[in-house]
Every structure is written in structure tokens, then in C-alpha cells.
Amino acid sequence: MKHQLFVEQPSTDLKTGIVVKKETELHYKNDRVEQVLKELILETITNNEGTHNGINAFKTKSYIHLGLNEGDILLFDKEVGYYMPAHPMTTVEEAISDLEGIKDIHLQEDEEVANETEGSESKGTEPN
């Protein structure tokens, strides 16, 4: 039995967003959301209204004040505006570079495993 290297499958979903810098300023507004980003502070006001079970009408208004760091990534969605991703994000270029590095390591590891198992396969033992 030959051992292999595995990696968690990377996401290929492309998402739009920005990298925050000290001087980044923006204003975004739609029917439900209004956002202002200035001096590394993202302020979001969200208004929701509707009905529960078609009977009880409701209105909510929430205010979020989010302190950011230079270099943080904010993703963008037309419905919710700018938001912090739930998982670490990177640029496509950086992801490609990381995967190329993994490929190099994988090729080296394959060679080492092949060299280690050459003698043990003839004896019917598994590699360490």
C-alpha cells in the first residue's frame, strides 16, 4: 500500500472584496443596509421588516461598530454590504503561489516515499 499526501480541498468560489488600508473610506447604501468605513472603523446600520407566519409584523434596526486592522479583508455582497469573512481569505495570486509550493513538497515527498518503499515492497512490509 502506497502512502500519499492529502490536503483539504481549497475553495474555488471567487468573492469580491477589498483589502482595508488606513486611508480606506467607503459609503454603501441599499434598501436595508447603510455602511460607512473611515479610520479603520466600519459602521453598519441594518433595517429589517416583515411578517412572522404572515401575521405578526416586525421591524428591527441594528447598529454594528467594527474596528478593523490594516490588511483586513472585507468581502462584498449587494444584499448585506461589506462583511468580515468567516474563514481566512487570500488573493488568487497568493493561493496559486501556496499551491505551487505544496506541489513542490508533494513531488519531493513522493520521491522519498518511492525510495523508502523500493526495498520494503519486495519484502512485503509497509513503509514507516
Side-chain angles (χ1 to χ4, degrees):
M1 168 177 33
K2 181 179 177 187
H3 285 212
Q4 296 175 290
L5 294 175
F6 294 91
V7 64
E8 292 180 24
Q9 186 171 4
S11 171
T12 55
D13 295 338
L14 298 175
K15 304 200 184 274
T16 302
I18 62 170
V19 176
V20 177
K21 298 181 176 143
K22 269 192 255 187
E23 61 276 0
T24 303
E25 292 188 12
L26 66 84
H27 183 261
Y28 178 73
K29 185 174 183 175
N30 67 21
D31 294 344
R32 290 186 31 229
V33 176
E34 183 169 1
Q35 293 181 303
V36 174
L37 171 59
K38 188 173 183 177
E39 297 178 4
L40 297 176
I41 303 293
L42 177 64
E43 295 179 333
T44 303
I45 300 171
T46 305
N47 294 297
N48 287 315
E49 55 184 84
T51 59
H52 178 68
N53 295 334
I55 301 170
N56 301 330
F58 70 88
K59 288 184 180 183
T60 63
K61 185 172 191 170
S62 62
Y63 173 79
I64 300 170
H65 178 99
L66 181 61
L68 300 170
N69 295 304
E70 197 165 14
D72 282 348
I73 293 174
L74 293 177
L75 299 181
F76 177 75
D77 180 279
K78 288 189 279 188
E79 297 296 317
V80 298
Y82 291 88
Y83 64 97
M84 290 288 292
H87 303 284
M89 301 293 291
T90 189
T91 65
V92 171
E93 293 80 12
E94 289 170 344
I96 289 169
S97 176
D98 290 346
L99 290 172
E100 286 172 346
I102 290 171
K103 181 179 177 182
D104 291 343
I105 291 169
H106 169 69
L107 293 175
Q108 289 172 355
E109 184 72 19
D110 266 359
E111 264 184 48
E112 290 174 15
V113 169
N115 291 336
E116 288 175 7
T117 59
E118 264 181 21
S120 63
E121 285 180 358
S122 62
K123 297 175 188 171
T125 61
E126 292 187 20
N128 295 335

